[in-house]
Amino acid sequence: MRVLHFYKTYYPDSLGGIEQVIRQLCVGTGRLGVTNQVLSLSRQKDLAPYVFEGTEVHRVPLDFEIASNACSLAAIGQLARMAREADVVHYHFPWPFMDLAHFMARVNKPSLVTYHSDIVRQKHLLRLYQPLKHRFLNSVNTIVATSPNYMASSAVLDRYRDKTRVITYGLDRDTYPEPAPELLDQWRARVGAKFFLFVGVLRYYKGLHILLDAVEHLDYPVVIVGAGPIEQELKAHAARLGLSHVHFVGALDDADKVALLKLCYAVAFPSHLRSEAFGISLLEGAMFGKPMISSEIGTGTTYINIDNETGLVVPPSDPQALAEAMRRLWDNPALAADMGRRAAQRYRELFTSEQMAASYTALYRELVARHAGQTLATAKA
């Protein structure tokens, strides 16, 4: 079975959460006999196809962006060609250009879309986009929500309940490198033996300004891993508050990231807007058995992190509540350790790559069988 994934970015151009999900999907379903291809956009000059972890990746030039909506004229023709050879086309929402490309390429294969997030920020442009969005969501065979929490809280998904099902994200621990002891020693010497960790792209909805405000009157070390559009703004904010105990370490490779995940005392994940639909780095914290602090925003973050079980959940945009949660974990090592163990257990029960891959593979087969049945019925008619 051949599956084509279409999304605006992929490795090595971007290392975000959706890219990680597509990667885990391709690796996991590949083990179950699915042949995966990825089509994405890129600013790079060398756009030759390459194979990454068994997945064939094709890139086309990114021509321009409108309100963060990446567009490529070449993508339309390439999508049409690759879709003809695929058994299933798997889209990843939100990406308005993708909706347009789907119709312009005249894709007529079984299709599904993983609904990663509502569109939250571009409210004026969203009104213009609404007709295209709903035409696209009506046209695909199945919509996949990534958590029951998001399914219950999304007004858009509520409109498509009859064709939507929940398949949560999953991670494969074996795809993460094991850091060398000397690398662990280097980080321990640099940031200390006990610290809170944030990992992610530094974007507006990650709530890092709230985290900085929360630790203004606390001396707990905080390590912030990642780069992004508001990096300089956050560093300036930390400087104004005199936060010498907050370490911005930039974007790191997987070995360094894993080293910090293994060393950290707890994961702080202060995302405060629904643009944070799930939280892959929060799930990574659970996978490594760390207690977590997150905000209740009606999304998958609270499906990963259960209040007073795997960690603590606080109101969004509340630095004082976040500070109190950090203080509670910091002052209670036994509680933190118990929550970390339960987080790892919940990961094993609900969020492994094997479970996600099995669910998607079954869905792919269902879509192909349904399409074949419809084609046969049409031919007989």
Side-chain angles (χ1 to χ4, degrees), residues 199-216:
V199 179
V201 180
L202 308 188
R203 301 189 191 280
Y204 71 96
Y205 59 83
K206 295 292 184 179
L208 288 167
H209 60 290
I210 303 162
L211 177 60
L212 296 179
D213 288 342
V215 298
E216 180 180 6

Side-chain angles (χ1 to χ4, degrees), residues 210-257:
I210 303 162
L211 177 60
L212 296 179
D213 288 342
V215 298
E216 180 180 6
H217 301 297
L218 301 175
D219 59 357
Y220 311 150
V222 175
V223 177
I224 295 175
V225 175
I230 65 168
E231 181 175 359
Q232 296 308 315
E233 176 185 330
L234 290 170
K235 288 180 176 178
H237 187 49
R240 284 194 300 271
L241 296 176
L243 304 181
S244 59
H245 53 298
V246 174
H247 307 274
F248 290 88
V249 298
L252 301 176
D253 62 23
D254 282 348
D256 286 301
K257 184 179 80 170

Side-chain angles (χ1 to χ4, degrees), residues 14-302:
S14 178
L15 305 176
I18 295 178
E19 294 87 341
Q20 179 67 268
V21 170
I22 299 172
R23 173 196 177 193
Q24 296 282 341
L25 261 176
C26 289
V27 172
T29 59
R31 292 171 180 159
L32 299 176
V34 176
T35 299
N36 290 285
Q37 292 182 312
V38 174
L39 174 60
S40 67
L41 278 52
S42 177
R43 297 183 185 277
Q44 302 299 318
K45 292 182 179 179
D46 180 9
L47 298 180
Y50 62 95
V51 176
F52 179 76
E53 297 178 329
T55 299
E56 189 177 296
V57 182
H58 295 255
R59 295 179 292 175
V60 292
L62 191 162
D63 294 327
F64 57 92
E65 290 184 279
I66 302 174
S68 301
N69 181 35
C71 302
S72 168
L73 298 177
I76 298 167
Q78 185 73 346
L79 174 62
R81 288 187 291 272
M82 295 181 73
R84 283 195 292 268
E85 302 299 319
D87 296 304
V88 176
V89 179
H90 190 158
Y91 297 106
H92 295 270
F93 183 98
W95 179 25
F97 173 77
M98 172 187 70
D99 306 15
L100 181 64
H102 166 75
F103 292 111
M104 294 188 70
R106 300 180 182 274
V107 174
N108 189 29
K109 289 293 179 75
S111 60
L112 71 151
V113 57
T114 296
Y115 193 94
H116 295 278
S117 171
D118 293 331
I119 296 176
V120 177
R121 199 178 194 187
Q122 308 290 351
K123 294 189 182 298
H124 297 298
L125 292 175
L126 180 59
R127 285 197 288 269
L128 297 174
Y129 168 54
Q130 292 278 32
L132 175 61
K133 177 182 72 176
H134 287 298
R135 186 184 172 200
F136 171 73
L137 293 175
N138 271 307
S139 73
V140 297
N141 299 107
T142 300
I143 301 170
V144 177
T146 59
S147 72
N149 301 50
Y150 214 87
M151 175 75 177
S153 63
S154 170
V156 175
L157 291 180
D158 188 60
R159 182 168 172 171
Y160 299 97
R161 283 187 176 273
D162 60 331
K163 65 190 298 182
T164 302
R165 65 185 67 184
V166 174
I167 302 177
T168 61
Y169 294 154
L171 299 177
D172 182 355
R173 175 66 180 83
D174 291 339
T175 63
Y176 289 74
E178 189 63 33
E182 52 269 25
L183 183 60
L184 294 171
D185 290 340
Q186 290 171 15
W187 279 112
R188 196 177 288 111
R190 180 174 172 183
V191 300
K194 186 178 180 181
F195 58 90
F196 287 94
L197 177 67
F198 168 87
V199 179
V201 180
L202 308 188
R203 301 189 191 280
Y204 71 96
Y205 59 83
K206 295 292 184 179
L208 288 167
H209 60 290
I210 303 162
L211 177 60
L212 296 179
D213 288 342
V215 298
E216 180 180 6
H217 301 297
L218 301 175
D219 59 357
Y220 311 150
V222 175
V223 177
I224 295 175
V225 175
I230 65 168
E231 181 175 359
Q232 296 308 315
E233 176 185 330
L234 290 170
K235 288 180 176 178
H237 187 49
R240 284 194 300 271
L241 296 176
L243 304 181
S244 59
H245 53 298
V246 174
H247 307 274
F248 290 88
V249 298
L252 301 176
D253 62 23
D254 282 348
D256 286 301
K257 184 179 80 170
V258 171
L260 289 169
L261 280 165
K262 295 188 76 170
L263 290 172
C264 74
Y265 183 71
V267 169
F269 199 77
S271 295
H272 63 305
L273 298 174
R274 283 182 58 81
S275 298
E276 189 67 80
F278 194 82
I280 288 296
S281 60
L282 188 67
L283 184 55
E284 288 173 333
M287 182 174 68
F288 282 93
K290 301 299 178 177
M292 299 165 282
I293 302 175
S294 59
S295 298
E296 178 54 83
I297 51 177
T299 72
T301 62
T302 317

